[in-house]
Amino acid sequence: MEKYTVSEKIKSAHSALRDAPAVKSAMEFLISDQAQRLEEQVALAKIPAPTFHEQDRAKAVCEYFTKLGLTDVHTDRFGNAIGTRKGKSNGPRVLLEAHMDTVFPIDTVLEPKYEGSRIYLPGVNDNCSGCAALLSIIRGLNHANIETEGDLVFVTTVEEEGKGALGGMRKLMSENKFDASISLDSAGFGNISYQGQAIRNAVITFHGQDGHAAGSFGKVANAMNAAARAVANIADIEVPSEPRTIFCVSNFHAGTDEAINAVAPEVVVKMNYRSLEQAELEKLHEKILAAVEKACVDEAARWGDGVQRVTWDCEIIADLRMSEQNIHNPIIESLYEIFQNMGVEEPVLRSGAACNMMMAVEAGVQAICTGAGGSGTMHSLDEYYDPGEHAYQGPQAAMLLA
């Protein structure tokens, strides 16, 4: 990609913004607020919030929003926690958002462990780092008595992960109007996600005859065998490196421990696949279905004439289409300029994101997703967040952008 450039209009606007005394005061406050931000980050992470079960964490967020003086604090009918910092006029309505659901079961042990500057705790990075950064931004604005032209709407969303498939954000956008959207998702600094990828989650169910392991041998096509053949076929599918296209068979379910000597009548295989080009995703989808069909045909052929073949069906449980926007939208140029002025020589522009930003772009709203500062890992029981020395830079950049 050719060297990215920022318009003089954006440069001038941000120069004036950075020089404003109130803005300088807020930026300095966010440095001193890092300790409280981390305290709240851990407190939120200790509240279980698997996808579809975020209500307790949402309640806690609403309590924080109320204490910070936001108005119209509530959870919407979808479970998103919402609060508004009113502007002084009819300026643009800007969304600042972080998802609050996690990938961990509701009974996961949530006790923090501290090693050096690292905090180990499932969900502490993805995405309690983003949620806590929102609270820090509100405190920074309040400390400096900054009045924005338009409303700033702070939201922690449900259903971003897994089967949620960005559903909380999609539902939020369906019933609200925003002029711009800023998503904070996990650690990192200097990265700008502005365009999503095509993503699909599929559940393929194989249906066969049950029976005794010995008595049915050679007489029935085994649904488990067919599913295994299908997975092997899928593993052999070749995909392009450009545009980057991937697939992952992530779940394989069948049978019970009690019926180890029985033929399972039903097998469920779940998978995720994605591409940076919609057309490539559709090609991959057809190849996957062909691989499944071939597996069922081959399993029946293995046992000879008269054997009833395994049947199958495919349910798509998430289907996210490519989300594209102009790479020179004001929100993108603005954050690029902010990062450069905060010492990032070449901010990273990411076009293959899988985050809530996609739902804003789908709704026709200019949007970005960026890191909340610091570093860390995610989706692991050993997940950690490390604030380092400059975790506050995440909230600083998002506040300036808003």
Side-chain angles (χ1 to χ4, degrees), residues 142-351:
N142 291 349
H143 170 82
N145 295 314
I146 290 177
E147 289 186 283
T148 54
E149 291 297 326
D151 294 349
L152 300 182
V153 183
F154 291 84
V155 180
T156 56
T157 51
V158 297
E159 300 173 19
E160 193 266 359
E161 301 282 9
K163 288 185 177 180
L166 316 184
M169 183 69 158
R170 171 177 275 153
K171 294 167 185 174
L172 177 75
M173 302 305 293
S174 72
E175 296 191 352
N176 294 272
K177 180 174 175 53
F178 302 103
D179 296 289
S181 175
I182 301 166
S183 292
L184 294 177
D185 196 340
S186 304
F189 183 72
N191 54 294
I192 306 170
S193 294
Y194 70 95
Q195 186 167 286
Q197 57 187 301
I199 303 172
R200 192 163 292 166
N201 291 338
V203 178
I204 302 169
T205 305
F206 298 80
H207 308 277
Q209 292 179 272
D210 59 1
H212 192 281
S216 299
F217 183 77
K219 299 177 182 179
V220 303
N222 189 317
M224 185 86 79
N225 291 351
R229 291 176 190 274
V231 172
N233 290 345
I234 291 168
D236 287 336
I237 293 174
E238 294 188 5
V239 292
S241 57
E242 292 293 337
R244 187 168 188 263
T245 303
I246 67 97
F247 57 86
C248 174
V249 176
S250 52
N251 299 83
F252 195 115
H253 301 286
T256 65
D257 287 344
E258 295 76 16
I260 195 169
N261 60 345
V263 178
E266 185 175 278
V267 184
V268 177
V269 173
K270 299 178 182 179
M271 63 181 304
N272 169 270
Y273 40 111
R274 52 186 73 191
S275 178
L276 294 181
E277 188 173 289
Q278 189 69 42
E280 284 298 334
L281 184 82
E282 302 304 337
K283 290 179 186 177
L284 175 57
H285 177 74
E286 293 304 318
K287 289 179 180 179
I288 289 169
L289 298 188
V292 171
E293 174 64 16
K294 183 177 187 304
C296 292
V297 170
D298 289 348
E299 171 60 15
R302 166 68 175 83
W303 307 109
D305 295 338
V307 172
Q308 183 177 331
R309 59 162 289 178
V310 173
T311 61
W312 60 276
D313 56 68
C314 178
E315 178 189 6
I316 304 301
I317 59 174
D319 194 6
L320 304 176
R321 298 190 66 80
M322 284 285 295
S323 57
E324 301 178 75
Q325 64 177 323
N326 189 327
I327 197 172
H328 284 286
N329 271 350
I331 194 170
I332 302 169
E333 285 198 10
S334 295
L335 187 55
Y336 197 94
E337 175 70 5
I338 288 168
F339 281 149
Q340 285 199 313
N341 278 278
M342 292 179 72
V344 181
E345 187 174 340
E346 290 190 19
V348 178
L349 291 160
R350 293 177 176 168
S351 63

